[in-house]
Amino acid sequence: AGPRTENGTESAGAGLLGHHRAHLDWLASLLDRHPGLVLENCGSGGLRMDYAQLAVAQLQSTSDQQDPLRYPPIAAAAATAVTPEQAAVWAYPQPHFTLDEIAFTMTTALLGRVHLSGFLDRMSEEQSVLVRSAVDVYRSIRPEIAEARPVWPLGLPSWADTWLAHGLRAESGTYLAFWRRTPVADDPEGPVGRSAVQDQSGDSVTVPVPHLRDSPVRPAVLYPSDSGAKASWNAVDGTLTVTLPRPGTAVLLRLG
């Protein structure tokens, strides 16, 4: 809207506030006339998230980021600013991606609101099956996302972390997504692969899940089903150990 208004003698601040309120009234009137309409607040590619807008828009774009290696810390941290069921995460699987890259890309979106894109019509059958299976998993857990509470077993993510983890604590169990990224040197946006908190160079990471301590839960791999990911649960300590066999892989687990 710009930095000011030229509406008579109104101050810049009062004019902008009036403009914003008029915009919200217009959006609300659209939903009154078209109750089935779904509105997305792009917010300049996720740069602005506010609940004045999200009171009348069902979706919030979390980013315009198209590099699947860079999106996980954005998606994992999104719940600090927007409810998971409103957090639109772009999934851009492409036909030139490897199966690991497709699974990595799809996993990033599964605990938010999936925005599926990419040249899906050009994929091989094997690639298409991998994308469809992700969408099937998402549809199966979507009813729980709106009532779930976010958890961060590794703490809030850093842009440079090799291992990232984000989860949702739901009625039926706890869903946890893990990403293992490849370190990138001499990156102008910062290296993807350094943690100031712990050594993240190995194939495995152990995280606390204190609300399930002493519970006989079983980790189940939801997606992808054949990535080679492994998970073991220590009920006494309340810790989960996750192994991802290669950098550039990810997994969605359910503890329940």
Side-chain angles (χ1 to χ4, degrees), residues 203-255:
D203 294 342
S204 301
V205 66
T206 299
V207 300
V209 191
H211 69 277
L212 293 177
R213 181 175 292 162
D214 296 325
S215 300
V217 300
R218 293 185 178 181
V221 174
L222 298 184
Y223 181 82
S225 59
D226 57 354
S227 67
K230 298 178 181 178
S232 60
W233 172 246
N234 186 321
V236 175
D237 295 335
T239 58
L240 176 71
T241 299
V242 175
T243 301
L244 289 174
R246 299 171 297 282
T249 53
V251 68
L252 177 66
L253 303 170
R254 181 182 179 276
L255 302 180

Side-chain angles (χ1 to χ4, degrees), residues 70 182-194:
R70 299 190 190 282
T182 304
V184 177
D186 300 324
D187 186 338
E189 295 191 41
V192 178
R194 179 197 55 79

Side-chain angles (χ1 to χ4, degrees), residues 23-64:
H23 182 219
L24 296 177
D25 289 344
W26 174 71
L27 290 176
S29 72
L30 283 180
L31 294 173
D32 289 340
R33 298 196 303 274
H34 308 285
L37 182 65
V38 175
L39 299 175
E40 177 195 352
N41 181 46
C42 176
S44 189
L47 290 176
R48 188 194 72 248
M49 301 186 190
D50 67 89
Y51 268 87
Q53 291 285 122
L54 287 173
V56 292
Q58 295 91 332
L59 296 177
Q60 169 66 58
S61 175
T62 54
S63 182
D64 286 339

Side-chain angles (χ1 to χ4, degrees), residues 70 72-74 76-77 154-164 181 191-197 200:
R70 299 190 190 282
I74 300 170
L154 285 172
L156 291 177
S158 165
W159 184 252
D161 284 347
T162 299
W163 280 90
L164 300 103
R181 300 192 294 175
V192 178
R194 179 197 55 79
S195 173
V197 178
Q200 297 189 342

